[in-house]
Amino acid sequence: MSEISTDELLTIAVRVARQGAVTARRMRDEAIGDVETKSTDTDVVTAADKAVERQVIEALLAERPGDGVLGEEYGDSATVAPGAVRWILDPIDGTVNYLYGLPQYAVSLAAEVGGAVVAGVVINAATGDEWTATRGGGAWRAGRRLAGSARTTLDQSLVATGFGYDARRREHQGAVLARLITRVRDIRRLGAAALDLCLTAEGSLDAYFEKGLNLWDHAAGGLIAEEAGLVVGGLSGAPAGNEMLVAAPPALFGALHDVLVELDAAGGP
Ligand code: IPD
């Protein structure tokens, strides 16, 4: 088992993620260059993603050279020893917002030990808003403990989601949404999964779901949502993951889950 406490891991994560957020914001203010595309031509990877990732990983490994790292641009480092720490980083979640200057992009950093995320921080780099959690220690924003929404009925709920970059997947996701939107108060698509999870954790959104997320999109935000008392899972008892992630207060999870199953939200390409 790792010698370091979850509080100490969170302290490191917050310090390093704040530095990354400053870099992201500065590069945005200076105007971003070097726009490349990744899997499809709408998946934009900027020089800033790479710069923030490099900075965060160098800072983590300078402090804790034995740890592993999984980063969106960097990939996975060699397998970590049992009980060692693996850091999971999305240097800029909400890359398209970043590109357009919309203030919804975040640095997301989580510490995982023994396959479980134990500490996480999400920082909206545009606004400085910061959400944190440690496993068993609650979820927090600006000194306030988070508890999710008190809403109990799906038809009164504001539900956020997101879309993949692949057009065929989007076709299916759009069809699901066309039906779901008649069963909820309204839908939001803010463009950064980590922030969707944090806003659901604090109750600014009632619930969130998405198909196709990568671990770096939801590692920190998922812990923050869980620690705010939300149920975070997949469909039909599966764990949250690439196939589906649903985050909702216990009173809403079942109803949203059942509609998503009915609409085959985890299906399609
Ligand atoms: C994306 C955002 C978006 C979500 C996509 C993610 P990126 O992450 O979180 O909201 O809908 O599924 O890939 O590419 O901006 O890091």
Side-chain angles (χ1 to χ4, degrees), residues 9-99:
L9 287 170
L10 182 64
T11 301
I12 295 170
V14 168
R15 187 173 65 243
V16 167
R18 281 182 186 165
Q19 292 161 359
V22 167
T23 299
R25 175 70 192 264
R26 178 179 50 74
M27 290 184 77
R28 171 70 231 177
D29 291 345
E30 287 168 359
I32 44 177
D34 273 358
V35 175
E36 293 172 24
T37 59
K38 208 164 44 176
S39 56
T40 75
D41 60 8
T42 49
D43 181 2
V44 178
V45 183
T46 63
D49 280 270
K50 292 178 183 168
V52 172
E53 180 149 332
R54 214 174 304 121
Q55 177 185 355
V56 169
I57 291 176
E58 276 172 21
L60 289 172
L61 295 182
E63 195 157 338
R64 298 187 45 84
D67 291 356
V69 179
L70 170 67
E72 180 174 14
E73 317 302 335
Y74 170 94
D76 209 351
S77 60
T79 340
V80 288
V85 176
R86 181 171 74 149
W87 298 94
I88 303 168
L89 168 68
D90 192 342
I92 300 181
D93 182 43
T95 322
V96 177
N97 287 340
Y98 186 76
L99 186 67

Side-chain angles (χ1 to χ4, degrees), residues 14 16 47 100 106 113 120 147 190 233 264:
V14 168
V16 167
Y100 281 78
V113 179
L190 301 176
D264 189 28

